[in-house]
Amino acid sequence: MKALIPTGDPAEPVVLADVPEPTPRPHEALVKVEAFSVNRGETFKLERPVPGERPGKDVAGLVVQPAADGSGPSGITRVVGHPMAGGWAEYVAVPTDALAVLPDGVPVLQGAALPLAGLTALRLLRAAGPVVGRRVLLTGASGGVGHYVTELAAAAGAQVTAVTRDAERGARLAGLGAAEIVHEVADASGPFDLVLESTGGQALPLALARLARRGTLIWFGQASRTPATLDFFDFFRGPESAVLRHFHYLDADTRLDDDLAALVRLTDEGRLHPEIGRVADWADTAATLTDLRDRRIRGKAVLTLS
């Protein structure tokens, strides 16, 4: 089969190559990939690829070989899947507990845009607890996770202040329910009951300073790729006795398939709107990856296999 292989070359981060078709384990289904989406974090990993590792975590397509143990979808079924690797290919073996059926009402392109960003947003808000009536500061809101967090949190009754430097993106977030758009963390007035921080670097202490007393800051990313420095005594200037929590989307008490199914259902009901910034043929993957890395794409980049 054809698959995209990392090269380690920034000018051409992946190339199309012939590789063996995967042999599914008993609990895995073989999926014929119709579309996959790219996450910006995956572009970072392509800078220093691990030998033998193939990228690809967000896929949508058809189950062409059900799992041998009888779990998961049976027969040829439209699905969205979240394998841990190998999805940028014609076929991928996906654990059945990381698959959800894709109804006819959800296009395959939208399905491919759901997994990692959608799972992160859904589980992040669950970790935050009830948000109805709470003031929420969301940094790094321009990305796919920020898009989903804004829509889900606003629908749940939160008053969301979204931080984005992109005016067009800010207008889109306002349309999804954000109460306020600011272009810098320093412009957010606060205090906020909850801060969802994904930037790191200088943004983290600035966001912490806008947290209310006994509030919660959940740190779920470091898009700046710069470590943050915190001062113990800064907590006494406002966020006294605040909680600083680390978050990783795979550390959850719920199953991937159940959460994927929830995201699909919300999309099918018109309550969640995956935003696709670019659709391209997978022959254009290298250029798409470069544009995504350099922030020239707003919304999810989805590649179709043809």
Side-chain angles (χ1 to χ4, degrees), residues 131-198:
V131 296
V132 61
R134 300 178 75 190
R135 295 194 65 191
V136 178
L137 177 65
L138 172 65
T139 70
S142 293
V145 175
H147 171 103
Y148 289 129
V149 167
T150 298
E151 187 167 21
L152 291 171
Q159 185 178 351
V160 180
T161 295
V163 183
T164 173
R165 295 182 179 179
D166 187 303
E168 181 180 349
R169 188 66 169 168
R172 174 61 175 155
L173 293 167
L176 292 172
E180 185 180 11
I181 305 297
V182 297
H183 299 304
E184 301 286 347
V185 176
D187 298 331
S189 57
F192 297 93
D193 307 297
L194 173 67
V195 172
L196 305 175
E197 213 293 291
S198 66

Side-chain angles (χ1 to χ4, degrees), residues 68-223:
D69 67 1
S71 62
S74 60
I76 297 178
T77 308
R78 296 177 77 238
V79 293
V80 56
H82 188 53
M84 289 298 102
W88 299 358
E90 289 184 292
Y91 296 91
V92 60
V94 185
T96 56
D97 63 1
L99 283 174
V101 173
L102 199 61
D104 293 338
V106 180
V108 69
L109 297 180
Q110 287 192 340
L114 282 172
L116 193 149
L119 288 166
T120 300
L122 182 67
R123 291 176 166 186
L124 180 63
L125 288 171
R126 284 182 181 153
V131 296
V132 61
R134 300 178 75 190
R135 295 194 65 191
V136 178
L137 177 65
L138 172 65
T139 70
S142 293
V145 175
H147 171 103
Y148 289 129
V149 167
T150 298
E151 187 167 21
L152 291 171
Q159 185 178 351
V160 180
T161 295
V163 183
T164 173
R165 295 182 179 179
D166 187 303
E168 181 180 349
R169 188 66 169 168
R172 174 61 175 155
L173 293 167
L176 292 172
E180 185 180 11
I181 305 297
V182 297
H183 299 304
E184 301 286 347
V185 176
D187 298 331
S189 57
F192 297 93
D193 307 297
L194 173 67
V195 172
L196 305 175
E197 213 293 291
S198 66
T199 306
Q202 295 180 348
L204 180 56
L206 288 173
L208 179 66
R210 282 147 183 81
L211 188 63
R213 179 172 176 263
R214 296 186 180 177
T216 299
L217 184 149
I218 302 180
W219 191 6
F220 70 99
Q222 191 160 291

Side-chain angles (χ1 to χ4, degrees), residues 44-62:
F44 297 157
K45 292 187 70 174
L46 291 175
E47 295 172 5
R48 295 181 180 179
V50 177
E53 186 174 287
R54 290 195 287 109
K57 292 188 173 186
D58 291 358
V59 302
L62 292 172

Side-chain angles (χ1 to χ4, degrees), residues 2-7 9-17 33-39 42-43 46 55-56 58 87-90 278-294 296-297 301-306:
K2 298 292 186 182
L4 291 161
I5 305 297
T7 64
D9 179 0
E12 189 179 18
V14 293
V15 294
L16 199 59
V33 179
E34 295 183 344
F36 64 84
S37 69
V38 180
N39 300 286
E42 292 175 300
T43 68
L46 291 175
D58 291 358
W88 299 358
E90 289 184 292
R278 177 181 296 180
V279 177
D281 182 87
W282 71 339
D284 299 320
T285 302
T288 301
L289 291 172
T290 300
D291 287 347
L292 184 66
R293 179 195 64 201
D294 296 339
R296 289 194 287 262
I297 298 175
V302 178
L303 285 297
T304 60
L305 277 64
S306 61

